[in-house]
Amino acid sequence: MGQGTYVEQEYNRDMAYIADRILAEPDPAKAPGGETAVGEQEWPVEPGRYHLAVARACPWANRAIIVRRLLGLEGVISMGIAGPTHDEDSWTFDLDPGQVDPVLGIPRLKDAYEARVPGYPRGITVPAIVDIPTGAVVTNDFPQITQDLSTQWRAHHRAGAPDLWPEELREEMDAVNQRVFEDVNNGVYRCGFAGTQESYEKAYHRLFEALDWLQERLSTRRYLVGEHITEADVRLFTTLARFDAAYHGHFKCNRSKLSEMPVLWAYARDLYQTPGFGDTTDFGDIKSHYYEVHRDINPTGVVPLGPDPMVWLEPHGREELGGSPFGDGTAPGPIPEGERVPVANNPTLGLDGLVSASRA
């Protein structure tokens, strides 16, 4: 989860991440261990070398989980899953036996950050990619992580993997992604952490103006950009999946529930029922994180029981707009056993309806 600050009681996300990249053809002059500064180094694509640290509760990390699964990189980049709650110090691997990540051998993600930058001064965020040999974080630059998984790891994508960053659509994607990030992905946080009525109302109006724009855009097209799923859809989905469960009440984004916005609700269900999306959505972790960790907003820590996740399996009818999830490609295969969301946290995963859209 990204760190944030308040400026004149308005929430501002700190986007100063460790911006090293993992590239298919890195510049030797920027190799790790040289004179190049942290944040400007280039690491080589190397199967088995890196560990993706995530938390299913976090929308930014959920993007990386979805992209890794859609591209079939499970056997190439291992994944460590932190629990949904954390203190001010660090995300922790409390879901693992002994509360230690079995690949990295550490209990706290902070240990990997400090292995890279002793006394790391910023927030300990997910997703983060860790270099297994050194145990040090390579990057936590979440938008670049997923783009590079698509563009730099192509030699290791599964057969039938979708192109989530089509060259011919990138200019349009950049424009759509920018507004979605500013007004929706980050917009819900601006509402939830607003320090004054004025800053809250400003963020609230920006959020719902953007959601209305998305409703109109998606009324005539199945996906945000192009005829198939792209990362633009991934980036919007992780916010929509949390909207009714957390943002509507907890963050005061309460003009309308997602389920009361017909076009966006059908679009979200379409994606949810597509392998890679709903089967990586952990409503239990989502609610536990937002309601238990954000005690400044929810002092009691009481976690709501609703809403009922089964509504996500209702027919969406979006096939009529044309397009298909994976174009000429195929849906990803089963999730590895150790990475499955517990059915107790998402009861829809015990049913067959979740895979319906993959046949569309």
Side-chain angles (χ1 to χ4, degrees):
M1 196 79 72
Q3 62 266 32
T5 59
Y6 296 91
V7 177
E8 296 180 353
Q9 300 300 305
E10 181 175 326
Y11 176 78
N12 287 273
R13 182 171 298 279
D14 181 357
M15 295 293 289
Y17 295 103
I18 299 174
D20 284 14
R21 295 181 64 188
I22 301 172
L23 303 176
E25 298 181 2
D27 182 346
K30 297 182 178 181
E35 297 182 359
T36 305
V38 171
E40 300 174 358
Q41 297 178 10
E42 296 182 359
W43 302 62
V45 165
E46 186 178 321
R49 177 171 178 173
Y50 304 104
H51 194 59
L52 175 65
V54 300
R56 292 194 183 104
C58 172
W60 320 102
N62 197 179
R63 293 181 183 185
I65 297 171
I66 293 171
V67 169
R68 173 178 172 269
R69 171 151 163 67
L70 293 178
L71 299 178
L73 292 172
E74 294 98 326
V76 178
I77 302 171
S78 60
M79 186 168 74
I81 304 172
T85 59
H86 59 77
D87 55 26
E88 294 182 359
D89 198 42
S90 179
W91 291 91
T92 57
F93 296 104
D94 50 337
L95 302 178
D96 291 307
Q99 300 189 353
V100 171
D101 181 276
V103 173
L104 301 176
I106 57 175
R108 307 176 308 161
L109 183 56
K110 182 177 182 178
D111 297 333
Y113 276 83
E114 295 201 327
R116 182 69 191 282
V117 181
Y120 184 75
R122 297 183 178 276
I124 306 302
T125 64
V126 287
I129 294 184
V130 181
D131 178 45
I132 296 173
T134 62
V137 168
V138 173
T139 178
N140 63 338
D141 187 354
F142 67 90
Q144 194 65 60
I145 285 173
T146 49
Q147 185 169 359
D148 285 347
L149 290 179
S150 287
T151 60
Q152 301 300 315
W153 290 79
R154 287 185 184 275
H156 305 286
H157 291 179
R158 66 179 176 85
D163 184 355
L164 299 178
W165 281 91
E167 186 72 39
E168 69 277 10
L169 298 177
R170 288 185 187 179
E171 184 175 351
E172 184 180 3
M173 284 180 65
D174 285 343
V176 170
N177 286 342
Q178 185 63 31
R179 183 167 189 190
V180 168
F181 171 73
E182 291 289 346
D183 296 345
V184 181
N185 300 147
N186 205 35
V188 293
Y189 285 86
R190 286 201 180 100
C191 289
F193 293 121
T196 66
Q197 187 69 32
E198 181 180 4
S199 61
Y200 163 69
E201 291 184 10
K202 178 181 177 182
Y204 174 98
H205 290 304
R206 281 184 65 178
L207 168 65
F208 282 100
E209 285 170 6
L211 292 175
D212 288 342
W213 167 71
L214 287 165
Q215 282 245 112
E216 182 178 358
R217 181 179 181 89
L218 289 164
S219 65
T220 57
R221 58 174 72 201
R222 189 171 179 183
Y223 301 107
L224 269 180
V225 182
E227 296 296 312
H228 315 297
I229 289 168
T230 65
E231 187 166 320
D233 299 295
V234 176
R235 293 184 177 196
L236 177 56
F237 172 80
T238 58
T239 296
L240 297 182
R242 289 157 176 75
F243 202 89
D244 287 2
Y247 303 145
H248 177 269
H250 185 59
F251 278 178
K252 306 179 186 69
C253 302
N254 61 353
R255 189 201 74 179
S256 312
K257 295 178 182 177
L258 173 64
S259 58
E260 296 168 343
M261 293 181 272
V263 174
L264 271 178
W265 176 221
Y267 164 81
R269 296 200 312 278
D270 187 4
L271 291 176
Y272 184 88
Q273 294 170 28
T274 301
F277 290 83
D279 54 17
T280 63
T281 300
D282 190 322
F283 290 116
D285 275 14
I286 288 168
K287 291 191 293 183
S288 180
H289 172 76
Y290 284 99
Y291 289 96
E292 292 187 66
V293 172
H294 298 160
R295 292 302 180 100
D296 50 341
I297 298 176
N298 186 43
T300 64
V302 172
V303 179
L305 293 177
D308 182 1
M310 303 308 288
V311 296
W312 282 90
L313 296 185
E314 293 176 355
H316 52 76
R318 298 280 295 176
E319 304 93 335
E320 297 177 1
L321 294 174
S324 60
F326 303 106
D328 295 331
T330 58
I335 294 179
E337 181 67 32
E339 297 183 3
R340 294 179 185 173
V341 174
V343 173
N345 287 5
N346 185 347
T348 69
L349 302 182
L351 303 176
D352 293 334
L354 196 55
V355 300
S356 62
S358 67
R359 307 187 186 104

